[in-house]
Amino acid sequence: QVQLVESGGGLVQAGDSLRLSCAASGRTFSNYNMGWFRQAPGKEREFVAAIFWTGGITAYADSVKGRFTISRDNAKNTLYLQMNSLKPEDTAVYYCAADVTRGLVRPRMSSEYQYWGQGTQVTVSS
């Protein structure tokens, strides 16, 4: 079983930067495909970014490409999301997710992930 705990959210102004962290349990973190999703009030959960267990393949939503960077530190069992040039439309609860089966084929689909954190709130004021 995997436990995921997000942190790093907060209140920032447009143009600011923020780094989210996701601490994961388990000794096999290096073999997990990991992803970040977000959900704004009144909207469905949407894909943000993903990184495969190999570490060399990443995917991003068009809305964050060039501004956000997903990375992982396997030695610390931690997933990161560096968010730069934040916009008010980035306001949402951000969730990290794990595919522990390594069967992920479509990283943009939430159904590909088995474990989810409780989320961390990111609010960007204009």
Side-chain angles (χ1 to χ4, degrees):
Q1 302 300 315
V2 177
Q3 290 184 318
L4 305 173
V5 181
E6 302 96 336
S7 63
L11 303 174
V12 297
Q13 295 185 5
D16 286 352
S17 296
L18 205 59
R19 188 173 79 159
L20 305 183
S21 298
C22 174
S25 65
R27 285 174 166 260
T28 57
F29 173 77
S30 62
N31 292 326
Y32 301 165
N33 297 312
M34 302 293 296
W36 284 101
F37 289 76
R38 67 187 182 186
Q39 187 167 27
K43 296 184 178 181
E44 61 185 11
R45 187 171 298 184
E46 67 173 346
F47 169 78
V48 176
I51 184 167
F52 279 73
W53 67 274
T54 58
I57 302 175
T58 58
Y60 296 92
D62 289 340
S63 59
V64 307
K65 194 172 300 181
R67 298 188 298 120
F68 291 10
T69 301
I70 188 171
S71 63
R72 64 195 299 163
D73 187 335
N74 290 339
K76 297 181 179 180
N77 275 21
T78 303
L79 176 74
Y80 301 100
L81 183 67
Q82 178 65 48
M83 305 183 293
N84 298 326
S85 301
L86 283 163
K87 305 175 181 179
E89 50 262 46
D90 294 319
T91 295
V93 176
Y94 284 71
Y95 301 88
C96 65
D99 163 37
V100 302
T101 71
R102 296 197 294 175
L104 188 151
V105 177
R106 296 169 291 182
R108 291 172 173 79
M109 297 184 62
S110 60
S111 60
E112 293 283 335
Y113 303 86
Q114 299 83 52
Y115 296 94
W116 296 80
Q118 290 186 310
T120 184
Q121 177 71 50
V122 173
T123 302
V124 185
S125 62
S126 59

